[in-house]
Amino acid sequence: MSELRRPIESGVPESTQFMHPVLRKNYGQWAWHDRPRPGVLRHVSQSGEAMYTVKAGTQRQMDVYTIRKLADIADEFCDGYIRFTIRSAVEFMTPKEENVQPLIDRLEAAGFPVGGTGNSVGFISHTQGWLHCDIPGTDASGVVKALMDQLVDEFKNEDMPNRVKITTSCCQINCGGQGDIAINVQHTKPPVINHELVAGVCERPAVIARCPVAAIRPALVNGKPSLEVDEKKCVCCGACYPPCPPMQINDPVNSKIAIWVGGKHSSTRSKPMFHKLVAAGIPNNAPRWPEASEVVRKILYAYKADARAWERMGEWIERIGWPRFFELTELPFTKYHVDNWRGGRANLNTSAHLHF
């Protein structure tokens, strides 16, 4: 008897085992595709076979009953085949055109809006938040829920100048990415240190090395080894908190929300872009975050009304200029929006080593 193959614990699993048979049969043979309606993709192969994909939004943090409900819908209409996108939307695939409308009706009735294709507001990517992140300053999934309740029509229709990618992040250092609009937590005060716990919990050299601006140094407090923060250098990023929880930076009053715009990963039509800060100090006001939602809506609808066809958010801003952007969005422009920091050479921990 031959030895069983040892599992490979790196990389992704072989994808074809999860594909619908029609997808496997026509792999690499697709001739064209289109969108018969928002939320539906149709791919047609060189042999004439078609595959319909129906895309719907989910709540991202799902219980087992919701997963079973989605699986039951896939069993009924899609031969049991289902997949989740990187932004936690769900896609159902069927080769039967007659199944498409009943599938849409079933998803909408179950509370899963169909959309997110073409020039729409795509499903918002977000970090883990309060449920199982160890350092959250806000609940990213809660912000997404509150915001998408207001933007659901923009998800279900393709009325934007281009696809809009929104991201949220519940801390300033670990997760998140460049987005057309990014909603991130913003700490405004240095960490408060519990010196009684530092020696027993924190590996002090690792904490010191983790600070990007070299603001942390060793200290002796009440006869115990501890740490101290140079508040003139500290940029309130929170990087010290994960390796040293006694350096608490999350605060119900001083942890705020900030909005950034214009980020772009791809090189399509224009080069990739970093997003830029446009609104800061927004109240971290759970559970509906009305102030943050209002700012996002102002930006989104100014872009929708003024951008040219196929312009991404950052491309629109580059064309009209930042003064006009702040005028159209009715957001205040302050001295804090001016990027004039030049302390990198003198202040940054510029070692060639990477510390995690």
Side-chain angles (χ1 to χ4, degrees):
M1 179 173 157
S2 61
E3 184 181 355
L4 292 176
R5 181 181 65 83
R6 293 178 61 82
I8 299 174
E9 296 182 355
S10 62
V12 296
E14 170 55 46
S15 61
T16 56
Q17 63 183 312
F18 304 114
M19 287 184 181
H20 193 286
V22 173
L23 290 177
R24 290 200 300 268
K25 178 182 176 182
N26 294 283
Y27 190 85
Q29 304 297 319
W30 301 103
W32 56 274
H33 69 275
D34 65 353
R35 300 190 306 277
R37 53 148 289 173
V40 178
L41 305 174
R42 173 174 55 191
H43 288 77
V44 179
S45 73
Q46 295 175 2
S47 66
E49 288 185 289
M51 175 61 72
Y52 294 85
T53 301
V54 177
K55 187 174 186 176
T58 73
Q59 66 268 43
R60 172 60 156 78
Q61 307 283 18
M62 283 187 284
D63 57 87
V64 67
Y65 303 102
T66 301
I67 295 173
R68 286 174 176 167
K69 183 187 295 184
L70 292 169
D72 289 341
I73 294 174
D75 285 338
E76 182 177 355
F77 296 100
C78 305
D79 305 313
Y81 288 90
I82 188 175
R83 68 184 179 190
F84 290 89
T85 72
I86 196 170
R87 288 178 171 258
S88 302
V90 61
E91 293 184 343
F92 296 83
M93 292 149 287
T94 176
K96 302 173 183 177
E97 184 177 5
E98 62 271 19
N99 282 0
V100 173
Q101 191 57 51
L103 171 58
I104 293 172
D105 295 340
R106 177 69 179 277
L107 287 168
E108 293 279 359
F112 303 104
V114 173
T117 57
N119 292 359
S120 65
V121 173
F123 205 67
I124 302 177
S125 67
H126 67 88
T127 57
Q128 308 305 329
W130 288 333
L131 186 62
H132 58 255
C133 177
D134 61 341
I135 58 167
T138 190
D139 185 37
S141 54
V143 176
V144 170
K145 166 61 178 170
L147 187 57
M148 285 307 288
D149 280 350
Q150 300 184 45
L151 300 182
V152 63
D153 289 338
E154 304 301 342
F155 175 80
K156 296 174 68 171
N157 297 289
E158 300 178 353
D159 297 332
M160 287 290 162
N162 202 337
R163 189 168 182 79
V164 178
K165 297 183 178 181
I166 304 177
T167 71
T168 62
S169 181
C170 59
C171 73
Q172 291 187 165
I173 57 167
N174 285 351
C175 307
Q178 303 300 316
D180 292 298
I181 302 175
I183 306 129
N184 299 330
V185 75
Q186 174 195 33
H187 300 299
T188 61
K189 297 289 184 181
V192 177
I193 304 174
N194 186 336
H195 296 288
E196 295 296 319
L197 298 179
V198 169
V201 176
C202 310
E203 185 180 343
R204 293 189 303 156
V207 181
I208 293 169
R210 190 176 175 96
C211 181
V213 292
I216 302 173
R217 52 182 176 248
L220 196 66
V221 180
N222 298 328
K224 294 183 179 181
S226 187
L227 297 164
E228 63 181 7
V229 175
D230 183 343
E231 296 189 1
K232 292 182 179 180
K233 288 184 177 181
C234 179
V235 292
C236 306
C237 68
C240 53
Y241 178 54
C244 190
M247 299 184 71
Q248 178 61 256
I249 195 167
N250 292 330
D251 183 275
V253 175
N254 297 312
S255 290
K256 306 288 188 178
I257 297 290
I259 309 295
W260 304 65
V261 301
K264 179 173 176 285
H265 286 290
S266 73
S267 56
T268 307
R269 294 176 304 279
S270 62
K271 62 184 180 181
M273 304 176 184
F274 284 119
H275 52 213
K276 304 291 193 303
L277 177 73
V278 295
I282 302 168
N284 187 10
N285 194 0
R288 301 301 298 178
W289 291 272
E291 298 88 355
S293 296
E294 179 61 23
V295 172
V296 171
R297 285 167 56 85
K298 282 184 177 181
I299 296 169
L300 185 67
Y301 289 118
Y303 163 73
K304 181 179 180 179
D306 191 63
R308 295 173 180 170
W310 303 109
E311 273 187 329
R312 288 284 294 272
M313 180 74 69
E315 296 166 343
W316 167 62
I317 295 170
E318 280 199 342
R319 176 174 62 82
I320 66 173
W322 284 106
R324 180 63 174 161
F325 168 84
F326 281 97
E327 179 183 333
L328 290 174
T329 57
E330 300 178 345
L331 296 175
F333 181 85
T334 71
K335 64 180 182 180
Y336 300 108
H337 288 95
V338 179
D339 184 9
N340 62 356
W341 186 62
R342 296 293 181 266
R345 292 290 180 183
N347 296 352
L348 282 178
N349 182 0
T350 53
S351 164
H353 299 84
L354 297 177
H355 301 284
F356 297 100

